[in-house]
Amino acid sequence: MPDEPQPQIPVETRTLTRPTASTAASAPEAGSAPGSVPVSASASGDSPAPGAALRYTRLLVIGIVLAALNLRPAITSLGALLEEVRDGLHMSGSVAGVLTSVPPLCFAVFGFTAPRLARRYGAGAIVCAGMVAITAGLLIRPFAGGTPAFLAASAFALMGIAVSNVLMPVIVKRYFPDRVGTMTGLYSMALAFGTAVAAAATVPMTEALGGSWRTGLGIWAVLAAVAVLPWLGLVRDRGAAPLSDREPSGREPSGREPSGRGLSGRQLSGGAPAAHGPATGQAPGLRLGRSRTAWALACFFGLQATGAYITMGWMPQVFRDAGVPAGTAGLLLAVTMVMGVPLAFVIPGLAARMRNQGPIVVGLGVCGLTAFSGLYFAPAGGAWLWAVLLGISNCSFPLALTMIGMRSRSGAGVVRLSAFAQSTGYLISIPGPLLVGVLYQHTGGWGLPIALMAGFLVPQMVAGVIAGQDRTIEDEARMRD
């Protein structure tokens, strides 16, 4: 696809260390207009007290965790009750396949809008709006009058998930530049935990609340509503954002250019926004459509997303058709998802310490191939083992997020790479769940669908090995020039 110019978000790194008054006074404020009077950090009205900066950072971590918890229950809760939803809305297998393809479609379409919206309104404001959209969509969806309305309400919730998907790695890179692996692990672990809890608890909660699938799906709006609260605080508490840690030259560590926008999109410095010139922290000349690394990341992200959404949407049905009770099938999906909780914290840290992430990619792929082989030959006999191995294989998601953060030298580059890899990747993943539904309906069994799932893992490993090589998109741009 052609490389469309992506809007850029001014990027600043965040730490709790404040610059000294002498340093701030001796260097012009980052982003100040030419000829403007330098503004010291201590004199700026936006300078937070150390205690306020610490509180802001803690609230940011809470916000990231709560947001991550809400990025998958809309999908896995539906997977656990898919048979009941199909019966209640009179869906065919093909229509159910369309339903399981809606998440990657929404992530692709709305993910492309995230950088532009974040540049205009601030990343935190967009994530906050995303949590509101998830709440509203989950609340409306179960009580929709038919399949079209159900799909529309699902798409509204998934719109909020899509923009948050793209902006979470950006927020981590911006505010925790020296802890990308740790914070990505925390975020991924919370995401996996939310996914697992929704898969395990949806059926029991539905039974406890009267047995209606509508109530069982709608209850997850409560968790989303809770996640809105810290982001409202972060957007309103603009002045408490910690100042950038600048070197005496006025530049940020690692040669990044400071900028003036925080989570709310408001100026944090005393001057105007930094000009979009050829600064190290900006990425105006990057053409991601010509980047081998960007395309490898997009393919790897898309293929792992294909496997993940097939798993979340169809795995309980695979087990139920093999004679496993509905409650146990939901628990098996929960086991698959919960494997991501510890591994989502371990894998990003391990990947960040490695120059080449290819061996991790291959190891995860082999686990997936083993699991699908087991599902083909003995789906019920080794169900718990296959669920565990599938869970390990699905940890390609936090690995992909970590590699996105490592394949660019600047925060601005990460913004564009995250939007490109995730949106293009989700476009790639759209046909997979749909094909599984069509094959399931027309063959009446799971032999061909499972073979297709296993087949997706081979190109996934190839793309992941290429994406895991030790280079950045900026390095590739310089080599082309």
Side-chain angles (χ1 to χ4, degrees):
M1 62 188 296
D3 180 35
E4 296 291 338
Q6 294 288 339
Q8 297 170 12
I9 304 174
V11 177
E12 76 276 4
T13 54
R14 302 281 185 183
T15 69
L16 294 180
T17 305
R18 303 178 66 202
T20 63
S22 60
T23 297
S26 63
E29 185 66 34
S32 298
S36 62
V37 178
V39 180
S40 69
S42 59
S44 171
D46 291 314
S47 300
L54 181 59
R55 286 193 298 273
Y56 186 92
T57 302
R58 287 175 176 170
L59 186 61
L60 179 57
V61 172
I62 293 171
I64 289 172
V65 170
L66 285 175
L69 285 172
N70 282 279
L71 295 184
R72 294 299 179 269
I75 303 167
T76 51
S77 61
L78 178 60
L81 294 173
L82 184 59
E83 184 171 314
E84 287 76 10
V85 173
R86 286 177 59 192
D87 292 341
L89 298 178
H90 309 292
M91 290 184 187
S92 66
S94 297
V95 174
V98 171
L99 181 61
T100 56
S101 294
V102 168
L105 174 62
C106 290
F107 294 168
V109 172
F110 297 117
F112 272 121
T113 68
R116 186 183 301 275
L117 291 171
R119 184 174 187 268
R120 182 170 182 178
Y121 299 107
I126 298 306
V127 173
C128 182
M131 295 300 110
V132 172
I134 295 170
T135 304
L138 292 180
L139 194 59
I140 295 169
R141 178 173 72 171
F143 306 102
T147 299
F150 187 91
L151 289 171
S154 297
F156 191 70
L158 292 165
M159 174 181 65
I161 297 173
V163 294
S164 301
N165 273 340
V166 171
L167 293 178
M168 280 297 165
V170 177
I171 290 172
V172 167
K173 177 80 170 182
R174 177 182 296 174
Y175 291 90
F176 305 95
D178 299 325
R179 298 177 182 174
V180 170
T182 301
M183 288 304 299
T184 300
L186 180 64
Y187 154 71
S188 301
M189 185 170 65
L191 187 150
F193 183 75
T195 306
V197 168
T202 296
V203 171
M205 282 198 308
T206 300
E207 294 172 351
L209 294 171
S212 171
W213 62 265
R214 299 180 187 275
T215 307
L217 291 182
I219 194 67
W220 293 104
V222 176
L223 180 62
V226 173
V228 173
L229 302 178
W231 289 99
L232 283 174
L234 287 164
V235 173
R236 286 192 345 220
D237 192 15
R238 298 172 177 179
L243 291 170
S244 300
D245 184 22
R246 298 190 181 92
E247 295 174 336
S249 64
R251 298 175 66 88
E252 294 190 359
S254 304
R256 296 183 182 90
E257 288 286 352
S259 76
R261 293 190 186 271
L263 281 171
S264 62
R266 177 180 180 271
Q267 275 300 109
L268 294 176
S269 65
H276 293 290
T280 308
Q282 306 296 336
L286 294 178
R287 297 180 58 83
L288 297 184
R290 297 171 58 189
S291 168
R292 181 169 176 254
T293 297
W295 277 108
L297 271 171
C299 291
F300 178 66
F301 194 95
L303 290 166
Q304 67 80 29
T306 299
Y309 290 110
I310 290 173
T311 298
M312 287 186 281
W314 288 109
M315 265 321 106
Q317 194 65 48
V318 173
F319 289 123
R320 290 175 73 167
D321 287 350
V324 176
T328 304
L331 285 176
L332 286 165
L333 179 59
V335 168
T336 297
M337 299 298 111
V338 84
M339 289 303 299
V341 176
L343 292 178
F345 193 77
V346 172
I347 288 177
L350 177 63
R353 290 193 294 269
M354 298 175 65
R355 294 180 63 87
N356 189 322
Q357 290 77 43
I360 303 178
V361 170
V362 174
L364 296 177
V366 169
C367 288
L369 288 173
T370 305
F372 286 126
S373 298
L375 285 172
Y376 188 93
F377 292 107
W384 294 100
L385 176 59
W386 314 143
V388 169
L389 289 173
L390 273 178
I392 297 173
S393 179
N394 281 347
C395 286
S396 296
F397 175 72
L399 177 60
L401 292 182
T402 304
M403 289 197 291
I404 288 172
M406 296 176 68
R407 296 288 92 89
S408 177
R409 296 185 182 277
S410 69
V414 172
V415 171
R416 295 190 58 193
L417 185 58
S418 178
F420 179 84
Q422 293 199 45
S423 296
T424 305
Y426 283 126
L427 280 174
I428 293 170
S429 72
I430 290 170
L434 178 60
L435 285 173
V436 168
V438 171
L439 287 174
Y440 173 55
Q441 180 178 1
H442 287 282
T443 64
W446 285 106
L448 279 179
I450 289 173
L452 178 66
M453 298 177 209
F456 284 139
L457 284 171
V458 177
Q460 176 182 321
M461 287 190 284
V462 173
V465 168
I466 296 172
Q469 294 176 0
D470 185 22
R471 61 170 176 261
T472 65
I473 54 175
E474 291 85 358
D475 294 338
E476 291 182 333
R478 279 195 293 271
M479 290 175 64
R480 288 195 303 267
D481 296 339

